Amino acid sequence: MTDLVAVWDVALSDGVHKIEFEHGTTSGKRVVYVDGKEEIRKEWMFKLVGKETFCVGAAKTKATINIDAISGFAYEYTLEINGKSLKKYMENRSKTTNTWVLHLDGEDFRVVLEKDTMDVWCNGKRMETAGEFVDDGTETHFSVGNHDCYIKAVSSGKRKEGIIHSLIVDDREIPEISW
């Protein structure tokens, strides 16, 4: 018998994390799992509503599960990331990051650029990078295995669009994915 009531997938710079929540509505038990690993366990709680706060990912991003009664013994579970609803957080994240997925040497790689810090992540690890100014913008160089990669940043020429980032691997442009 499982009390699993909610599952969320959260895309962070270091990868996509699975958050699972068990809530025993008779015992008040609360268990939070992140990527299959138990983060919080509370066996007996008389208060069936409330919050559980924990950290997710390499950057220890703050996450909170809100437990609210909607009627009788029915409950609603919502996830907040850094104080924003998951939906709002992901919308904001799509403005502050670029994500590419590529397949090299029989392996899948997920590359994320954090635009505010210019940090580059690949499969959950922050990459060593070297920045370079070029005629039409900048290039941030790094390696994946023995493949030369760089993220090219050029102005769109339009104020609303801002800077366009492209990932180039072995002189080939990789299409960006959107969440």
Side-chain angles (χ1 to χ4, degrees):
M1 165 93 181
T2 178
D3 293 321
L4 187 67
V5 293
V7 178
W8 297 274
D9 287 323
V10 180
L12 300 177
S13 295
D14 65 337
V16 179
H17 299 277
K18 182 180 209 152
I19 297 172
E20 297 169 289
F21 183 57
E22 290 182 9
H23 187 216
T25 53
T26 51
S27 66
K29 175 182 84 170
R30 298 179 190 177
V31 186
V32 176
Y33 298 95
V34 177
D35 299 325
K37 181 178 167 280
E38 191 176 293
E39 289 294 316
I40 296 173
R41 174 176 290 272
K42 295 181 179 168
E43 286 297 338
W44 289 95
M45 295 191 66
F46 295 105
K47 192 172 177 208
L48 292 175
V49 295
K51 298 174 183 252
E52 290 300 335
T53 300
F54 52 98
C55 294
V56 180
K60 302 259 182 257
T61 304
K62 182 180 164 198
T64 302
I65 296 172
N66 296 302
I67 308 154
D68 298 301
I70 39 178
S71 67
F73 289 100
Y75 297 89
E76 180 180 67
Y77 307 95
T78 53
L79 179 67
E80 291 177 1
I81 305 292
N82 278 345
K84 295 184 178 94
S85 73
L86 182 58
K87 184 178 188 294
K88 266 272 182 264
Y89 177 80
M90 295 315 285
E91 284 169 5
N92 185 50
R93 201 164 158 68
S94 69
K95 294 176 192 150
T96 60
T97 62
N98 291 81
T99 303
W100 298 270
V101 173
L102 54 144
H103 192 75
L104 295 172
D105 306 325
E107 219 179 315
D108 287 327
F109 294 93
R110 184 172 183 274
V111 176
V112 177
L113 168 68
E114 291 182 349
K115 293 186 220 178
D116 54 349
T117 60
M118 292 306 287
D119 283 340
V120 176
W121 293 75
C122 181
N123 286 4
K125 294 187 176 32
R126 188 177 299 138
M127 304 300 288
E128 286 289 323
T129 61
E132 177 184 359
F133 288 100
V134 293
D135 288 342
D136 54 350
T138 63
E139 293 178 356
T140 303
H141 293 263
F142 59 99
S143 295
V144 174
N146 47 12
H147 297 271
D148 293 324
C149 310
Y150 64 93
I151 296 172
K152 187 167 183 76
V154 295
S155 172
S156 65
K158 298 182 185 100
R159 201 161 159 241
K160 275 196 187 269
E161 282 180 45
I163 295 171
I164 297 170
H165 295 89
S166 309
L167 174 63
I168 314 296
V169 177
D170 298 333
D171 299 320
R172 196 170 50 97
E173 187 171 339
I174 307 298
E176 184 180 352
I177 63 165
S178 56
W179 289 99

